[in-house]
PDB file of all heavy atoms in Angstrom:
ATOM      1  N   ARG A  45      12.318   2.289  14.293  1.00 89.00           N
ATOM      2  CA  ARG A  45      11.416   1.298  14.923  1.00 89.00           C
ATOM      3  C   ARG A  45      11.795  -0.116  14.483  1.00 89.00           C
ATOM      4  O   ARG A  45      11.825  -1.037  15.284  1.00 89.00           O
ATOM      5  CB  ARG A  45       9.974   1.606  14.546  1.00 89.00           C
ATOM      6  CG  ARG A  45       8.964   0.655  15.092  1.00 89.00           C
ATOM      7  CD  ARG A  45       7.967   1.395  15.964  1.00 89.00           C
ATOM      8  NE  ARG A  45       6.891   0.509  16.374  1.00 89.00           N
ATOM      9  CZ  ARG A  45       6.882  -0.107  17.545  1.00 89.00           C
ATOM     10  NH1 ARG A  45       7.852   0.080  18.404  1.00 89.00           N
ATOM     11  NH2 ARG A  45       5.891  -0.903  17.866  1.00 89.00           N
ATOM     12  N   LEU A  46      12.087  -0.273  13.178  1.00 92.00           N
ATOM     13  CA  LEU A  46      12.500  -1.584  12.670  1.00 92.00           C
ATOM     14  C   LEU A  46      13.808  -2.032  13.301  1.00 92.00           C
ATOM     15  O   LEU A  46      13.975  -3.210  13.649  1.00 92.00           O
ATOM     16  CB  LEU A  46      12.636  -1.558  11.148  1.00 92.00           C
ATOM     17  CG  LEU A  46      11.329  -1.542  10.363  1.00 92.00           C
ATOM     18  CD1 LEU A  46      11.617  -1.378   8.863  1.00 92.00           C
ATOM     19  CD2 LEU A  46      10.529  -2.804  10.599  1.00 92.00           C
ATOM     20  N   ASN A  47      14.729  -1.105  13.499  1.00 93.00           N
ATOM     21  CA  ASN A  47      15.994  -1.444  14.156  1.00 93.00           C
ATOM     22  C   ASN A  47      15.764  -1.885  15.606  1.00 93.00           C
ATOM     23  O   ASN A  47      16.354  -2.858  16.077  1.00 93.00           O
ATOM     24  CB  ASN A  47      16.973  -0.262  14.104  1.00 93.00           C
ATOM     25  CG  ASN A  47      17.534  -0.057  12.712  1.00 93.00           C
ATOM     26  OD1 ASN A  47      17.564  -0.982  11.898  1.00 93.00           O
ATOM     27  ND2 ASN A  47      17.978   1.158  12.419  1.00 93.00           N
ATOM     28  N   VAL A  48      14.906  -1.149  16.312  1.00 94.00           N
ATOM     29  CA  VAL A  48      14.591  -1.511  17.709  1.00 94.00           C
ATOM     30  C   VAL A  48      13.943  -2.893  17.760  1.00 94.00           C
ATOM     31  O   VAL A  48      14.318  -3.748  18.568  1.00 94.00           O
ATOM     32  CB  VAL A  48      13.678  -0.448  18.368  1.00 94.00           C
ATOM     33  CG1 VAL A  48      13.119  -0.942  19.680  1.00 94.00           C
ATOM     34  CG2 VAL A  48      14.443   0.854  18.564  1.00 94.00           C
ATOM     35  N   LEU A  49      12.982  -3.121  16.891  1.00 94.00           N
ATOM     36  CA  LEU A  49      12.302  -4.424  16.877  1.00 94.00           C
ATOM     37  C   LEU A  49      13.262  -5.542  16.490  1.00 94.00           C
ATOM     38  O   LEU A  49      13.220  -6.632  17.057  1.00 94.00           O
ATOM     39  CB  LEU A  49      11.099  -4.391  15.918  1.00 94.00           C
ATOM     40  CG  LEU A  49       9.914  -3.542  16.369  1.00 94.00           C
ATOM     41  CD1 LEU A  49       8.854  -3.487  15.263  1.00 94.00           C
ATOM     42  CD2 LEU A  49       9.314  -4.082  17.649  1.00 94.00           C
ATOM     43  N   SER A  50      14.130  -5.265  15.545  1.00 94.00           N
ATOM     44  CA  SER A  50      15.126  -6.258  15.139  1.00 94.00           C
ATOM     45  C   SER A  50      16.025  -6.612  16.318  1.00 94.00           C
ATOM     46  O   SER A  50      16.313  -7.794  16.559  1.00 94.00           O
ATOM     47  CB  SER A  50      15.943  -5.716  13.970  1.00 94.00           C
ATOM     48  OG  SER A  50      16.983  -6.608  13.643  1.00 94.00           O
ATOM     49  N   ASP A  51      16.467  -5.581  17.059  1.00 94.00           N
ATOM     50  CA  ASP A  51      17.307  -5.838  18.240  1.00 94.00           C
ATOM     51  C   ASP A  51      16.558  -6.656  19.289  1.00 94.00           C
ATOM     52  O   ASP A  51      17.120  -7.559  19.907  1.00 94.00           O
ATOM     53  CB  ASP A  51      17.786  -4.506  18.851  1.00 94.00           C
ATOM     54  CG  ASP A  51      18.813  -3.800  17.971  1.00 94.00           C
ATOM     55  OD1 ASP A  51      19.372  -4.468  17.064  1.00 94.00           O
ATOM     56  OD2 ASP A  51      19.051  -2.596  18.192  1.00 94.00           O
ATOM     57  N   ARG A  52      15.296  -6.320  19.498  1.00 95.00           N
ATOM     58  CA  ARG A  52      14.490  -7.063  20.484  1.00 95.00           C
ATOM     59  C   ARG A  52      14.325  -8.521  20.071  1.00 95.00           C
ATOM     60  O   ARG A  52      14.402  -9.433  20.901  1.00 95.00           O
ATOM     61  CB  ARG A  52      13.124  -6.398  20.662  1.00 95.00           C
ATOM     62  CG  ARG A  52      13.214  -5.117  21.469  1.00 95.00           C
ATOM     63  CD  ARG A  52      11.899  -4.417  21.600  1.00 95.00           C
ATOM     64  NE  ARG A  52      10.931  -5.201  22.353  1.00 95.00           N
ATOM     65  CZ  ARG A  52       9.662  -4.863  22.494  1.00 95.00           C
ATOM     66  NH1 ARG A  52       9.207  -3.747  21.948  1.00 95.00           N
ATOM     67  NH2 ARG A  52       8.841  -5.626  23.183  1.00 95.00           N
ATOM     68  N   ILE A  53      14.103  -8.743  18.783  1.00 95.00           N
ATOM     69  CA  ILE A  53      13.956 -10.122  18.287  1.00 95.00           C
ATOM     70  C   ILE A  53      15.257 -10.886  18.486  1.00 95.00           C
ATOM     71  O   ILE A  53      15.266 -12.026  18.961  1.00 95.00           O
ATOM     72  CB  ILE A  53      13.516 -10.133  16.805  1.00 95.00           C
ATOM     73  CG1 ILE A  53      12.058  -9.675  16.687  1.00 95.00           C
ATOM     74  CG2 ILE A  53      13.693 -11.515  16.194  1.00 95.00           C
ATOM     75  CD1 ILE A  53      11.589  -9.461  15.265  1.00 95.00           C
ATOM     76  N   LYS A  54      16.384 -10.243  18.130  1.00 95.00           N
ATOM     77  CA  LYS A  54      17.679 -10.905  18.302  1.00 95.00           C
ATOM     78  C   LYS A  54      17.928 -11.240  19.774  1.00 95.00           C
ATOM     79  O   LYS A  54      18.340 -12.353  20.114  1.00 95.00           O
ATOM     80  CB  LYS A  54      18.808 -10.013  17.771  1.00 95.00           C
ATOM     81  CG  LYS A  54      18.881  -9.939  16.271  1.00 95.00           C
ATOM     82  CD  LYS A  54      19.972  -8.968  15.838  1.00 95.00           C
ATOM     83  CE  LYS A  54      19.925  -8.716  14.329  1.00 95.00           C
ATOM     84  NZ  LYS A  54      20.877  -7.684  13.925  1.00 95.00           N
ATOM     85  N   THR A  55      17.660 -10.267  20.649  1.00 94.00           N
ATOM     86  CA  THR A  55      17.866 -10.487  22.082  1.00 94.00           C
ATOM     87  C   THR A  55      16.968 -11.611  22.594  1.00 94.00           C
ATOM     88  O   THR A  55      17.409 -12.481  23.345  1.00 94.00           O
ATOM     89  CB  THR A  55      17.572  -9.184  22.867  1.00 94.00           C
ATOM     90  OG1 THR A  55      18.394  -8.148  22.357  1.00 94.00           O
ATOM     91  CG2 THR A  55      17.831  -9.367  24.348  1.00 94.00           C
ATOM     92  N   GLY A  56      15.720 -11.602  22.173  1.00 94.00           N
ATOM     93  CA  GLY A  56      14.781 -12.662  22.582  1.00 94.00           C
ATOM     94  C   GLY A  56      15.239 -14.032  22.111  1.00 94.00           C
ATOM     95  O   GLY A  56      15.177 -15.018  22.861  1.00 94.00           O
ATOM     96  N   LEU A  57      15.703 -14.108  20.859  1.00 95.00           N
ATOM     97  CA  LEU A  57      16.176 -15.386  20.329  1.00 95.00           C
ATOM     98  C   LEU A  57      17.422 -15.864  21.075  1.00 95.00           C
ATOM     99  O   LEU A  57      17.564 -17.046  21.383  1.00 95.00           O
ATOM    100  CB  LEU A  57      16.462 -15.270  18.832  1.00 95.00           C
ATOM    101  CG  LEU A  57      15.239 -15.214  17.926  1.00 95.00           C
ATOM    102  CD1 LEU A  57      15.657 -14.942  16.483  1.00 95.00           C
ATOM    103  CD2 LEU A  57      14.442 -16.504  18.012  1.00 95.00           C
ATOM    104  N   VAL A  58      18.329 -14.937  21.368  1.00 95.00           N
ATOM    105  CA  VAL A  58      19.537 -15.309  22.113  1.00 95.00           C
ATOM    106  C   VAL A  58      19.159 -15.835  23.490  1.00 95.00           C
ATOM    107  O   VAL A  58      19.674 -16.861  23.950  1.00 95.00           O
ATOM    108  CB  VAL A  58      20.514 -14.105  22.210  1.00 95.00           C
ATOM    109  CG1 VAL A  58      21.616 -14.364  23.223  1.00 95.00           C
ATOM    110  CG2 VAL A  58      21.108 -13.802  20.846  1.00 95.00           C
ATOM    111  N   ARG A  59      18.228 -15.156  24.160  1.00 95.00           N
ATOM    112  CA  ARG A  59      17.775 -15.618  25.488  1.00 95.00           C
ATOM    113  C   ARG A  59      17.135 -17.003  25.407  1.00 95.00           C
ATOM    114  O   ARG A  59      17.393 -17.856  26.242  1.00 95.00           O
ATOM    115  CB  ARG A  59      16.771 -14.618  26.081  1.00 95.00           C
ATOM    116  CG  ARG A  59      17.424 -13.396  26.628  1.00 95.00           C
ATOM    117  CD  ARG A  59      16.407 -12.516  27.325  1.00 95.00           C
ATOM    118  NE  ARG A  59      17.016 -11.267  27.737  1.00 95.00           N
ATOM    119  CZ  ARG A  59      16.351 -10.151  27.918  1.00 95.00           C
ATOM    120  NH1 ARG A  59      15.052 -10.114  27.715  1.00 95.00           N
ATOM    121  NH2 ARG A  59      16.970  -9.059  28.303  1.00 95.00           N
ATOM    122  N   LYS A  60      16.294 -17.188  24.409  1.00 95.00           N
ATOM    123  CA  LYS A  60      15.648 -18.496  24.240  1.00 95.00           C
ATOM    124  C   LYS A  60      16.692 -19.577  23.997  1.00 95.00           C
ATOM    125  O   LYS A  60      16.622 -20.673  24.561  1.00 95.00           O
ATOM    126  CB  LYS A  60      14.649 -18.488  23.068  1.00 95.00           C
ATOM    127  CG  LYS A  60      13.304 -17.967  23.403  1.00 95.00           C
ATOM    128  CD  LYS A  60      12.569 -18.969  24.242  1.00 95.00           C
ATOM    129  CE  LYS A  60      11.166 -18.476  24.506  1.00 95.00           C
ATOM    130  NZ  LYS A  60      10.534 -19.212  25.568  1.00 95.00           N
ATOM    131  N   MET A  61      17.659 -19.279  23.147  1.00 95.00           N
ATOM    132  CA  MET A  61      18.695 -20.264  22.854  1.00 95.00           C
ATOM    133  C   MET A  61      19.492 -20.580  24.117  1.00 95.00           C
ATOM    134  O   MET A  61      19.804 -21.748  24.389  1.00 95.00           O
ATOM    135  CB  MET A  61      19.620 -19.744  21.738  1.00 95.00           C
ATOM    136  CG  MET A  61      18.966 -19.805  20.358  1.00 95.00           C
ATOM    137  SD  MET A  61      19.946 -19.046  19.043  1.00 95.00           S
ATOM    138  CE  MET A  61      21.513 -19.815  19.209  1.00 95.00           C
ATOM    139  N   GLU A  62      19.820 -19.566  24.910  1.00 95.00           N
ATOM    140  CA  GLU A  62      20.545 -19.786  26.170  1.00 95.00           C
ATOM    141  C   GLU A  62      19.702 -20.626  27.133  1.00 95.00           C
ATOM    142  O   GLU A  62      20.210 -21.526  27.804  1.00 95.00           O
ATOM    143  CB  GLU A  62      20.915 -18.447  26.822  1.00 95.00           C
ATOM    144  CG  GLU A  62      22.010 -17.690  26.098  1.00 95.00           C
ATOM    145  CD  GLU A  62      23.333 -18.455  26.094  1.00 95.00           C
ATOM    146  OE1 GLU A  62      23.672 -19.091  27.098  1.00 95.00           O
ATOM    147  OE2 GLU A  62      24.030 -18.406  25.054  1.00 95.00           O
ATOM    148  N   HIS A  63      18.414 -20.313  27.189  1.00 95.00           N
ATOM    149  CA  HIS A  63      17.502 -21.068  28.066  1.00 95.00           C
ATOM    150  C   HIS A  63      17.489 -22.552  27.681  1.00 95.00           C
ATOM    151  O   HIS A  63      17.640 -23.431  28.532  1.00 95.00           O
ATOM    152  CB  HIS A  63      16.090 -20.473  27.977  1.00 95.00           C
ATOM    153  CG  HIS A  63      15.036 -21.311  28.617  1.00 95.00           C
ATOM    154  ND1 HIS A  63      14.879 -21.389  29.983  1.00 95.00           N
ATOM    155  CD2 HIS A  63      14.088 -22.125  28.078  1.00 95.00           C
ATOM    156  CE1 HIS A  63      13.883 -22.217  30.253  1.00 95.00           C
ATOM    157  NE2 HIS A  63      13.377 -22.672  29.117  1.00 95.00           N
ATOM    158  N   TRP A  64      17.313 -22.823  26.402  1.00 94.00           N
ATOM    159  CA  TRP A  64      17.247 -24.221  25.957  1.00 94.00           C
ATOM    160  C   TRP A  64      18.609 -24.908  26.069  1.00 94.00           C
ATOM    161  O   TRP A  64      18.704 -26.094  26.358  1.00 94.00           O
ATOM    162  CB  TRP A  64      16.692 -24.323  24.537  1.00 94.00           C
ATOM    163  CG  TRP A  64      15.214 -24.082  24.540  1.00 94.00           C
ATOM    164  CD1 TRP A  64      14.553 -22.991  24.086  1.00 94.00           C
ATOM    165  CD2 TRP A  64      14.219 -24.950  25.091  1.00 94.00           C
ATOM    166  NE1 TRP A  64      13.210 -23.112  24.303  1.00 94.00           N
ATOM    167  CE2 TRP A  64      12.969 -24.318  24.924  1.00 94.00           C
ATOM    168  CE3 TRP A  64      14.243 -26.186  25.715  1.00 94.00           C
ATOM    169  CZ2 TRP A  64      11.784 -24.868  25.350  1.00 94.00           C
ATOM    170  CZ3 TRP A  64      13.054 -26.748  26.138  1.00 94.00           C
ATOM    171  CH2 TRP A  64      11.847 -26.101  25.959  1.00 94.00           C
ATOM    172  N   LYS A  65      19.677 -24.144  25.853  1.00 94.00           N
ATOM    173  CA  LYS A  65      21.016 -24.703  26.023  1.00 94.00           C
ATOM    174  C   LYS A  65      21.217 -25.128  27.482  1.00 94.00           C
ATOM    175  O   LYS A  65      21.712 -26.226  27.756  1.00 94.00           O
ATOM    176  CB  LYS A  65      22.058 -23.652  25.615  1.00 94.00           C
ATOM    177  CG  LYS A  65      23.487 -24.141  25.693  1.00 94.00           C
ATOM    178  CD  LYS A  65      24.439 -23.033  25.257  1.00 94.00           C
ATOM    179  CE  LYS A  65      25.884 -23.450  25.412  1.00 94.00           C
ATOM    180  NZ  LYS A  65      26.803 -22.366  25.035  1.00 94.00           N
ATOM    181  N   THR A  66      20.800 -24.278  28.407  1.00 92.00           N
ATOM    182  CA  THR A  66      20.900 -24.600  29.836  1.00 92.00           C
ATOM    183  C   THR A  66      20.072 -25.840  30.172  1.00 92.00           C
ATOM    184  O   THR A  66      20.530 -26.732  30.893  1.00 92.00           O
ATOM    185  CB  THR A  66      20.421 -23.402  30.682  1.00 92.00           C
ATOM    186  OG1 THR A  66      21.190 -22.260  30.336  1.00 92.00           O
ATOM    187  CG2 THR A  66      20.568 -23.685  32.160  1.00 92.00           C
ATOM    188  N   ARG A  67      18.864 -25.907  29.645  1.00 92.00           N
ATOM    189  CA  ARG A  67      18.004 -27.073  29.919  1.00 92.00           C
ATOM    190  C   ARG A  67      18.603 -28.357  29.361  1.00 92.00           C
ATOM    191  O   ARG A  67      18.546 -29.405  30.004  1.00 92.00           O
ATOM    192  CB  ARG A  67      16.607 -26.840  29.340  1.00 92.00           C
ATOM    193  CG  ARG A  67      15.852 -25.791  30.121  1.00 92.00           C
ATOM    194  CD  ARG A  67      14.400 -25.788  29.931  1.00 92.00           C
ATOM    195  NE  ARG A  67      13.807 -27.055  30.303  1.00 92.00           N
ATOM    196  CZ  ARG A  67      12.531 -27.328  30.131  1.00 92.00           C
ATOM    197  NH1 ARG A  67      11.740 -26.437  29.609  1.00 92.00           N
ATOM    198  NH2 ARG A  67      12.038 -28.495  30.465  1.00 92.00           N
TER     199      ARG A  67
END
Side-chain angles (χ1 to χ4, degrees):
R45 179 121 173 97
L46 286 174
N47 287 337
V48 168
L49 290 174
S50 175
D51 289 344
R52 286 177 65 187
I53 289 172
K54 286 177 189 174
T55 303
L57 286 174
V58 167
R59 283 186 186 155
K60 276 287 184 195
M61 285 174 52
E62 288 297 322
H63 169 75
W64 286 108
K65 182 179 176 182
T66 303
R67 289 198 59 185

